[in-house]
Amino acid sequence: MLKEILSYITDALTEAGARHVYTAFESVPYDRRPKEPYIVVSADTIETSRPVYTEYEIYLPFTATAAISVIAPEGMPLCGVYDVFDTQVLPATERSGSISCRLKGVTLKYDSNIKRTVLKASISVTGICRLERKSV
Amino acid sequence: MSDEKNCVFDTTPREIFIGDTALFCDSLKLSASAVYTEKNSLGGKLLYTAQETRSVRLAAECRLMHDNAPLDVFARLYSMLVSKKIISVSYRGAEFAGCRLTYLEQKNDGGPVSDLKIEFICPVSEITEAV
């Protein structure tokens, strides 16, 4: 389910024009990632609520907090990071298909582990996941 | 503790059958009541002169998932309500044979899930339980 949620967001980012989008499930080493701004989509929290049953399927409502991080290459001016956020991340949250997204907040900080400036947008994601019933 | 599975109960909602309509029931509340007529004797003693039993009331709460036709179930139940049809309701082995639908409420907050409340009355003599 988590993979599907992140996949919806990466698809929306790609449609919005983002060229380099990774999810937390992709283990591409940082040194092999592009030398231009790239985006990493991960999930901070996920919570499901009471499922709705039908004869053959179970519908599982969920709420998740996704993190969309714009990672800037060394030496990139901050205006470039904000430009990626404004032209690619924000439009993606408006066109994420059957899940509903809402921007909760944005933080900008220097990540000393990867030695890059990271603009992290927290997105509240709500939707309903359909599962097949194993036995009826 | 010969079998650990004895400790596990299936908590998935079960179907409630309302005539030929089956819905998954999140909760079912049964209530029964009686009305006593009270009189005071000349000596000031309280006397009950009559007792009337009311029907058993059933209040079921369900949630419906609908991509299309969100009013389909409501319309079917509403036709039972306006026609004053006597219907059979069953839930987890209990049969309520002579039910009359008295109340319907569907609430939708804009998404594909609706909350549905249904109330029936049923004479006590029409209730049976499978053993």
Side-chain angles (χ1 to χ4, degrees):
Chain A
M1 187 167 78
L2 192 54
K3 257 186 187 171
E4 279 178 24
I5 296 168
L6 298 187
S7 162
Y8 270 113
I9 298 169
T10 51
D11 289 350
L13 284 163
T14 310
E15 275 179 39
R19 279 185 296 171
H20 306 289
V21 185
Y22 303 91
T23 71
F25 287 93
E26 290 169 279
S27 58
V28 178
Y30 278 99
D31 56 357
R32 288 193 202 160
R33 291 186 181 183
K35 304 296 177 200
E36 52 187 296
Y38 64 91
I39 296 171
V40 178
V41 183
S42 57
D44 288 341
T45 62
I46 183 161
E47 188 182 345
T48 59
S49 52
R50 210 160 45 129
V52 182
Y53 286 80
T54 66
E55 196 176 355
Y56 301 110
E57 285 152 336
I58 300 170
Y59 294 87
L60 192 59
F62 64 82
T63 305
T65 306
I68 302 178
S69 302
V70 180
I71 297 167
E74 278 179 277
M76 186 180 189
L78 283 181
C79 60
V81 184
Y82 281 115
D83 188 53
V84 172
F85 174 74
D86 195 50
T87 57
Q88 296 171 12
V89 177
L90 273 184
T93 61
E94 292 157 9
R95 56 169 95 161
S96 43
S98 55
I99 60 172
S100 168
C101 292
R102 186 174 57 83
L103 182 67
K104 286 175 74 178
V106 179
T107 57
L108 181 73
K109 66 173 186 178
Y110 182 77
D111 188 336
S112 56
N113 292 323
I114 56 172
K115 295 177 183 165
R116 299 284 168 89
T117 302
V118 179
L119 187 146
K120 181 179 167 184
S122 287
I123 310 284
S124 172
V125 184
T126 53
I128 298 177
C129 186
R130 181 170 54 199
L131 311 166
E132 265 185 43
R133 295 192 72 172
K134 284 180 183 167
S135 59
V136 179
Chain B
M1 291 277 282
S2 57
D3 183 1
E4 282 187 1
K5 285 184 179 173
N6 286 340
C7 300
V8 178
F9 291 89
D10 181 4
T11 57
T12 53
R14 302 291 171 81
E15 284 163 307
I16 183 167
F17 294 92
I18 303 162
D20 55 2
T21 300
L23 301 169
F24 279 85
C25 183
D26 287 324
S27 81
L28 179 70
K29 186 173 85 176
L30 298 177
S31 57
S33 62
V35 177
Y36 284 83
T37 306
E38 297 171 298
K39 299 280 181 188
N40 285 95
S41 69
L42 288 173
K45 193 179 175 187
L46 183 63
L47 302 168
Y48 298 111
T49 57
Q51 186 241 27
E52 294 164 12
T53 310
R54 299 284 185 246
S55 303
V56 169
R57 289 179 184 275
L58 289 80
E61 290 187 4
C62 308
R63 279 172 303 149
L64 306 173
M65 182 76 197
H66 45 73
D67 288 337
N68 302 307
L71 296 179
D72 178 51
V73 172
F74 189 88
R76 257 186 288 162
L77 295 173
Y78 182 69
S79 72
M80 291 180 195
L81 187 143
V82 293
S83 66
K84 300 171 190 169
K85 192 177 174 184
I86 294 175
I87 45 178
S88 177
V89 173
S90 64
Y91 178 70
R92 288 181 180 258
E95 288 277 340
F96 306 88
C99 286
R100 289 172 167 86
L101 234 166
T102 58
Y103 181 76
L104 276 178
E105 179 187 308
Q106 181 169 343
K107 187 183 169 205
N108 177 266
D109 289 331
V113 180
S114 283
D115 296 322
L116 188 65
K117 288 182 185 170
I118 315 158
E119 289 182 15
F120 309 92
I121 52 171
C122 180
V124 179
S125 58
E126 300 285 350
I127 301 174
T128 55
E129 190 162 22
V131 180

